[in-house]
Amino acid sequence: MTLAASVIDRLVEAGIDTVFGIPGKQTLPLNEAIDGRDDVRFVMARHETAVSQQAWGYAETSGRPAATVVVPGPGDMNAMNGLKNAYNDNTPLVHIAVETDPEVRGRDGIHETPPETYDTVTKENRVVKNPDGVLAEVERAVETATTAPKGPVRLGIPKSYLPGSTPNGGVGEIDAGELSRPPADAVADAGGILAGADAPVVIAGGGVRSAEASEELRTFAERYDAPVLTTYKGKGVIPETHPLSAGVLCGATTPEIHQYIADADAVLAVGTDFDELVTRGRTLELPGELIHVTLSPDDLGTNYEPTVGIVADAKPTIAALNGKLPVSDHEAEAVASRLRESVSRRVDELADGETPLTSPGALRAVREAVPDDAIVAADAGGFRIWALATFPAMGPRSYVNPGSWATMGSGLPSALGAQAANPDADVVALAGDGGLMMAVHELHTAAAEDLPVTTVVFRNEDYAIISDGAERDHGLPAGSYAWGDSPIDFVALAESMGVSAARAETPEAVRDAVSAAVDADEPRLVEVPTDPAEPQASDYLTE
């Protein structure tokens, strides 16, 4: 058996059943090892940037890691974008990079890059030193990726090792390790603060999703009767149709939500690092009594000084707090309703128009057409901020959006990864036309790999959020970065790649087209023209 075949065996034994990549001369031994197997699938992308974004979407919606395989140099560096996204979001994946051979390294071999190039975009970056260590390093990579705090692991394997015979030697069982549990005294201190609060609030971040702690969060919120705000990365960790769901902290959070937090007498923040987008550049005011639960000691006190800081996993910490607090009544449903109303009151008038549709109007029509149990993957861009505030997410792994890395072009690839992870689910990608053009090649992947994702592209023919800033802050002409004189026909473009497509310009047409696309057992695209002159969510909702 070749070492390449043994590598694939180890990945499968570790529960990895999907490998995303683009084959190259260096990776062909691994592709050969996958070919013909029915327990692992190779999904071939059209650009290496999409490879790691697909694996990110796979893990975000399933909780399970996928693997990626790329050639050295250009392939590896293109994949860095998605690796950084996964690193910021604590998303597990195993990135196998076929490395330049040791005897060639330092002699400017083809595609050679220094391995340390990838240190800052991965949880761990390791290069195998000899063939005898490859299988143990594969197991270590999976264990490291899936141990909290989770993240991407890059494993460099020199290309000459893969065709050789598997070395002798035993390998141990993979063990993801114990959950990090909270200290009893810290839980008692936090419980005392919460028990004495009259106007508490919970802020739940992406760490709740990573810890699979949504059920514990909901139980806590219902028992303690507290409104729950999520960070933009935690969106969906409590269904946004739940009566205690109060909104999303992002660049478009309303003043009423910010004011409620400032006036609260206790905040329980779980699984968030309070980054710049969550806190609107640290303008978010928190009360003196802050309980901050995070897996990273570096997060404590970086932006806000906690009264009680707990370095532990979200799941056992919330469960422990559940056991400390009695059933309470803080009239939280009324609070949550009022905070949600602060968003809808601003949006309704803007969303009710016919043509051209605004982003919130188009998003509302899409949400009405998409089943509640569908998975939605959102790209970065101006429409994404509208979606964070106005497009309800129905569950912890039903909504995928990039975190603080916020790379454009990730929506469609992550949706393809989500579809590969959840073959029986309806999956919808939301993208602006600027973002989709950064990954439009992956429509061909959808067709070739038979991944029936519905792509909805909001077409305003402008990098509008950039044009607005250029006009407002720098005196450039309106629409400086628009391309209306060179319009893109996304229907024709999609159909040229084997993807059925339609254009929809009214709310009714959007609902009909999206519903038909979701019901079809094939990849489809719906193009929705939107108003390039609409206000930006970060301005409109924050006034």
Side-chain angles (χ1 to χ4, degrees), residues 324-340:
K324 288 288 183 182
L325 295 169
V327 175
S328 303
D329 181 5
H330 297 116
E331 299 182 352
E333 289 191 11
V335 171
S337 177
R338 175 168 58 84
L339 297 182
R340 293 195 304 270

Side-chain angles (χ1 to χ4, degrees), residues 126-481:
R126 296 185 61 80
V127 177
V128 182
K129 301 299 184 184
N130 58 71
D132 296 293
V134 169
L135 299 184
E137 289 287 13
V138 169
E139 295 193 350
R140 174 175 171 171
V142 176
E143 181 179 353
T144 301
T146 54
T147 300
K150 301 171 185 176
V153 174
R154 177 184 181 273
L155 182 61
I157 304 176
K159 65 178 183 179
S160 62
Y161 294 179
L162 295 172
S165 298
T166 300
N168 293 324
V171 289
E173 294 184 359
I174 294 171
D175 179 8
E178 288 287 323
L179 292 177
S180 177
R181 300 185 181 279
D185 57 346
V187 171
D189 291 343
I193 291 170
L194 293 170
D198 294 318
V201 63
V202 176
I203 297 175
V208 175
R209 177 185 297 107
S210 296
E212 305 285 357
S214 286
E215 190 60 40
E216 286 78 6
L217 173 68
R218 181 159 54 181
T219 299
F220 175 85
E222 292 171 350
R223 179 181 179 86
Y224 181 56
D225 194 38
V228 178
L229 290 160
T230 71
T231 69
Y232 67 104
K233 192 58 200 175
K235 184 176 173 69
V237 295
I238 184 170
E240 291 183 83
T241 51
H242 192 286
L244 293 176
S245 173
V248 177
L249 294 175
C250 62
T253 303
T254 65
E256 290 88 341
I257 292 175
H258 273 214
Q259 190 61 53
Y260 181 79
I261 297 172
D263 293 341
D265 53 5
V267 173
L268 171 63
V270 184
T272 177
D273 59 1
F274 287 118
D275 69 27
E276 290 289 292
L277 186 54
V278 167
T279 64
R280 298 274 312 276
R282 285 167 288 176
T283 62
L284 176 69
E285 293 183 34
L286 295 182
E289 301 289 4
L290 169 64
I291 302 158
H292 190 184
V293 181
T294 175
L295 274 172
S296 173
D298 292 341
D299 292 343
L300 296 179
T302 297
N303 289 322
Y304 297 92
E305 194 66 38
T307 308
V308 178
I310 300 176
V311 179
D313 191 270
K315 192 180 185 79
T317 303
I318 300 173
L321 286 170
N322 271 330
K324 288 288 183 182
L325 295 169
V327 175
S328 303
D329 181 5
H330 297 116
E331 299 182 352
E333 289 191 11
V335 171
S337 177
R338 175 168 58 84
L339 297 182
R340 293 195 304 270
E341 173 64 21
S342 74
V343 177
S344 61
R345 184 174 64 250
R346 289 170 167 82
V347 169
D348 285 347
E349 183 177 353
L350 190 62
D352 285 342
E354 285 290 321
T355 57
L357 289 172
T358 61
S359 292
L363 286 163
R364 179 175 291 180
V366 172
R367 180 69 274 182
E368 290 169 352
V370 173
D372 286 354
D373 59 356
I375 295 169
V376 177
D379 209 331
F383 89 93
R384 171 201 182 219
I385 304 177
W386 280 114
L388 287 172
T390 69
F391 191 97
M394 303 304 189
R397 297 200 180 274
S398 68
Y399 192 87
V400 185
N401 75 106
S404 58
W405 188 234
T407 183
M408 291 179 71
S410 64
L412 175 55
S414 64
L416 297 179
Q419 189 73 80
N422 304 273
D424 297 327
D426 295 319
V427 178
V428 177
L430 305 178
D433 47 0
L436 184 59
M437 284 302 292
M438 297 183 187
V440 72
H441 38 75
E442 296 310 304
L443 289 173
H444 193 252
T445 301
E449 296 286 341
D450 193 25
L451 294 167
V453 167
T454 294
T455 301
V456 182
V457 54
F458 304 104
R459 195 199 79 209
N460 63 8
E461 299 177 344
D462 191 1
Y463 290 121
I465 196 169
I466 307 303
S467 290
D468 281 5
E471 179 184 7
R472 180 182 61 248
D473 301 331
H474 300 279
L476 274 66
S480 288
Y481 301 106

Side-chain angles (χ1 to χ4, degrees), residues 76 83-84 86-88 90-97 99 115-128 136-147 149-156:
D76 221 359
L83 292 179
K84 175 63 172 172
Y87 182 58
N88 282 25
N90 295 119
T91 304
L93 63 91
V94 176
H95 178 68
I96 297 177
E99 276 282 357
E116 62 270 18
T117 301
Y118 311 97
D119 285 350
T120 59
V121 298
T122 56
K123 180 181 178 182
E124 188 168 287
N125 174 32
R126 296 185 61 80
V127 177
V128 182
E137 289 287 13
V138 169
E139 295 193 350
R140 174 175 171 171
V142 176
E143 181 179 353
T144 301
T146 54
T147 300
K150 301 171 185 176
V153 174
R154 177 184 181 273
L155 182 61

Side-chain angles (χ1 to χ4, degrees), residues 11-50:
L11 292 175
V12 171
E13 289 168 8
I16 292 177
D17 61 7
T18 307
V19 178
F20 298 92
I22 295 180
K25 183 177 179 180
Q26 297 91 338
T27 70
L28 286 177
L30 291 166
N31 291 96
E32 180 186 11
I34 294 171
D35 188 52
R37 295 183 64 145
D38 59 9
D39 55 356
V40 61
R41 178 181 185 180
F42 181 77
V43 176
M44 184 175 70
R46 298 301 179 271
H47 196 281
E48 292 96 347
T49 301

